[in-house]
Amino acid sequence: MKIKENQNSFYGISTIKRLSLYVISDKVMNLLRPLSIDTPHARKVYIETYGCQMNFNDSEVVLSILQKEGYRYTERMEEADVILANTCSIRDNAEQRILGRIEQFAFQKRKRKGVLVGILGCMAERLKEELLENSTVDLVVGPDCYRRLPELLQLCEVEGKGIDTLLSREETYADIAPVRLDKNGVNAFISIMRGCNNVCSYCVVPYTRGVERSRDCGSIVREACQLFENGYREVTLLGQNVDSYRWTAGDGTVVDFADLLAQVAAVNPLLRVRFSTSYPSDISDKLLDVMASRENICHHIHLPVQSGSDRMLEKMRRKYDRAWYLERVRTIREKLPDCGLTTDIIAGFCSETEEDHRDTLSLMEEVGFDSAFMFQYSERPGTLAARHYPDDVPPEVKTRRLNEIIALQMRKSEERYAAQVGTTQTVLIEGPAKRGEGDLCGRASNYMMCVFPGDGHKAGEYVRVHINAATPATLIGEIE
Ligand code: 5AD
Ligand code: SF4
């Protein structure tokens, strides 16, 4: 009940307002004619992406919007007329890295007249006008305003600067076919929803990405079909909390995440389907049953636990406790015995004691995750935690606890990967392995990376790989 009140008050604050927008003058209107794709002087755009898979997919949407207006994509910053950074605010070190990078963009601006630098994504949303105070930054565009990018870029050329950070309750970019930036033509991301309605007290995401909204189910299935026709063999359905996906079709039928997953899996048996991220209190038995019933839905769940201590989980405003999480893991393993399980863990959240920390270690010991993303708590301005709880675990204690968590996870990963030796895995080939002449790599259904001699096979094919050896992050085998 308490959590609900806080949620309401969060939405009451309303980040959903137009903070600043440069008004379009008549002289600018003349410039807003789209450039043709064939224009020899088409402006070249370069984009760097930081943070999560959602951001990566957003960059593909941004390029699609700009290409339609005649911009050309370049992988070389040195030849770009427009340099964009799609940014992440999740932890302070992510932001510091990007601020450092902006200094390097400044060098390009000094070297070549007319180069524009734009900051997109979560940092744009969080810092807004503050970013424009840096003379290198010309453009600041939040995650829900990408349709306005061509217009804002042209505005920049005339007025010097452009900004839009309005958050939306509806925008899902459902009608935009992302330009695919993946290198292998085998796996692609599909965003199925945007924003987040949870208010985990440490997390900046609800403030930078706004309220949760689900994308039209039909447009998701169509995108999956299109990708399959173009040769892709794996799609990952993306959302901050995929289990709360909900779409009401024209005839009133409600499609939940389990229904959506079944529909995408029905596109073709040769199209593998993955998803991320699940939320422990929302992951349903219905979803697990759908996963068990279709060969091409991968048996892997990324289920962030954050902490093993009930006191910390409550303070983090996660909506489950340790017992609930462990019950979900038991059910997953009952229904999907071969399911890969990965997680996120935060060390040193506000007031965390040694006992709380030991609870996290014992939960990790009990579950045995295949792998984990592990972080030190980083206070984010404006979040519930920043407003209500002191960031009082000393940095050296956070580091020591994180190191203990990492060491334990290494041991668990080693065990989990070693347990696959002797099994045979169905692997979708992604391409050449980083090391090993002639070796190929690809993932097993449980998300473990496999490396094996190529034997004339190529990316996009499925092979059965017998596992002979393992490291804590790779299975090594040969095609049967
Ligand atoms: N500090 C450290 N880690 C964080 N995460 C989110 N916010 C913070 C923060 N303020 C982690 C969580 C989340 C993952 C995407 O990032 O573990 O699941
Ligand atoms: Fe952040 Fe929690 Fe939403 Fe994940 S579920 S994005 S941690 S608020």
Side-chain angles (χ1 to χ4, degrees):
M1 191 61 204
K2 216 168 165 201
I3 292 173
K4 222 174 167 49
E5 274 168 26
N6 273 311
Q7 271 188 348
N8 289 340
S9 67
F10 165 63
Y11 293 112
I13 295 168
S14 182
T15 30
I16 318 289
K17 67 178 184 197
R18 188 166 294 253
L19 277 130
S20 171
L21 189 62
Y22 282 69
V23 177
I24 305 175
S25 60
D26 285 347
K27 66 178 177 181
V28 178
M29 277 312 281
N30 295 333
L31 284 166
L32 297 185
R33 278 170 285 108
L35 293 165
S36 133
I37 307 268
D38 299 316
T39 310
H41 306 298
R43 290 174 65 69
K44 294 199 184 85
V45 56
Y46 165 84
I47 188 163
E48 270 178 18
T49 308
Y50 296 84
C52 61
Q53 296 167 332
M54 293 283 290
N55 252 18
F56 183 81
N57 190 232
D58 276 6
S59 292
E60 298 180 322
V61 166
V62 162
L63 285 178
S64 174
I65 290 168
L66 289 175
Q67 275 194 359
K68 261 213 185 83
E69 297 298 320
Y71 288 84
R72 292 234 180 96
Y73 170 59
T74 174
E75 287 187 351
R76 295 186 55 233
M77 178 168 71
E78 300 71 33
E79 63 169 29
D81 304 289
V82 177
I83 297 174
L84 300 175
N86 192 2
T87 62
C88 170
S89 290
I90 198 107
R91 282 168 290 278
D92 184 58
N93 56 8
E95 288 199 349
Q96 293 308 323
R97 227 171 87 216
I98 294 156
L99 292 174
R101 195 65 185 137
I102 292 175
E103 297 310 309
Q104 284 163 312
F105 297 159
F107 177 69
Q108 293 296 321
K109 268 181 90 76
R110 281 197 299 273
K111 227 170 53 178
R112 294 179 294 123
K113 227 173 146 263
V115 170
L116 293 176
V117 171
I119 302 301
L120 316 180
C122 290
M123 251 175 107
E125 195 59 51
R126 196 179 84 71
L127 295 170
K128 301 185 168 67
E129 285 88 350
E130 217 179 289
L131 281 170
L132 287 182
E133 284 165 18
N134 181 329
S135 62
T136 303
V137 178
D138 304 292
L139 183 72
V140 173
V141 185
D144 288 344
C145 309
Y146 297 146
R147 286 181 200 271
R148 291 200 63 226
L149 261 169
E151 176 195 337
L152 287 164
L153 276 166
Q154 295 200 352
L155 196 63
C156 265
E157 291 188 13
V158 182
E159 316 252 307
K161 301 260 176 188
I163 179 166
D164 195 355
T165 54
L166 178 70
L167 284 173
S168 158
R169 283 181 180 274
E170 286 95 32
E171 182 62 272
T172 59
Y173 301 110
D175 56 317
I176 294 175
V179 168
R180 298 294 165 184
L181 285 175
D182 62 278
K183 294 270 188 267
N184 61 17
V186 176
N187 3 57
F189 297 121
I190 303 182
S191 290
I192 63 163
M193 57 208 297
R194 297 179 75 80
C196 183
N197 276 2
N198 294 322
V199 193
C200 302
S201 60
Y202 51 81
C203 187
V204 77
V205 166
Y207 304 84
T208 58
R209 290 195 158 258
V211 292
E212 183 183 286
R213 61 227 104 114
S214 295
R215 176 178 163 189
D216 178 338
C217 163
S219 79
I220 297 168
V221 175
R222 277 195 298 280
E223 191 170 330
C225 286
Q226 195 66 54
L227 284 163
F228 184 76
E229 277 166 27
N230 291 343
Y232 285 85
R233 289 295 173 263
E234 185 177 287
V235 293
T236 304
L237 308 181
L238 294 179
Q240 301 295 346
N241 177 6
V242 290
D243 306 292
S244 59
Y245 176 88
R246 187 159 278 258
W247 175 258
T248 310
D251 62 0
T253 327
V254 174
V255 179
D256 65 14
F257 182 59
D259 302 327
L260 174 72
L261 194 60
Q263 287 192 32
V264 176
V267 164
N268 195 295
L270 287 177
L271 183 71
R272 264 188 173 181
V273 191
R274 297 186 182 277
F275 56 88
S276 188
T277 300
S278 299
Y279 189 89
S281 53
D282 297 341
I283 188 163
S284 66
D285 286 3
K286 178 178 169 187
L287 176 78
L288 301 178
D289 292 335
V290 167
M291 287 176 76
S293 70
R294 314 264 170 160
E295 277 282 304
N296 58 332
I297 301 178
C298 289
H299 288 186
H300 168 230
I301 299 175
H302 185 64
L303 198 64
V305 65
Q306 314 297 2
S307 170
S309 148
D310 280 343
R311 197 177 72 82
M312 285 295 99
L313 288 172
E314 203 185 333
K315 208 161 184 165
M316 288 174 166
R317 305 212 184 211
R318 301 289 284 180
K319 297 179 199 153
Y320 55 90
D321 58 15
R322 178 187 173 102
W324 175 282
Y325 189 91
L326 291 173
E327 184 285 322
R328 287 288 77 195
V329 171
R330 263 195 305 280
T331 308
I332 290 168
R333 295 212 159 127
E334 254 165 52
K335 289 181 182 283
L336 305 162
D338 57 351
C339 193
L341 202 58
T342 55
T343 199
D344 294 346
I345 295 172
I346 299 177
F349 184 59
C350 311
S351 84
E352 187 188 71
T353 62
E354 287 304 317
E355 194 186 338
D356 295 319
H357 170 58
R358 278 197 298 274
D359 285 346
T360 297
L361 296 174
S362 73
L363 180 132
M364 292 172 69
E365 191 74 64
E366 195 167 338
V367 174
F369 296 106
D370 297 343
S371 62
F373 293 108
M374 298 158 281
F375 314 102
Q376 288 187 32
Y377 171 59
S378 161
E379 185 178 86
R380 307 311 294 131
T383 55
L384 281 174
R387 283 183 279 134
H388 297 298
Y389 313 130
D391 179 11
D392 53 4
V393 177
E396 62 281 7
V397 176
K398 282 185 187 171
T399 306
R400 195 249 308 146
R401 290 183 188 164
L402 179 63
N403 285 340
E404 288 174 10
I405 288 170
I406 292 171
L408 172 56
Q409 185 51 50
M410 272 296 276
R411 188 159 58 72
K412 286 283 145 189
S413 295
E414 205 168 346
E415 281 170 28
R416 298 282 305 165
Y417 277 66
Q420 308 296 319
V421 173
T423 64
T424 298
Q425 304 287 332
T426 302
V427 175
L428 172 61
I429 302 176
E430 292 183 10
K434 280 199 195 96
R435 275 173 295 214
E437 183 93 357
D439 281 0
L440 294 174
C441 70
R443 289 187 191 276
S445 168
N446 65 9
Y447 201 60
M448 290 182 183
M449 184 53 90
C450 302
V451 173
F452 46 91
D455 292 346
H457 290 275
K458 56 182 196 303
E461 288 177 18
Y462 289 96
V463 284
R464 297 276 294 161
V465 176
H466 184 80
I467 308 302
N468 300 320
T471 75
T474 315
L475 301 177
I476 300 152
E478 57 197 356
I479 297 174
E480 272 190 348

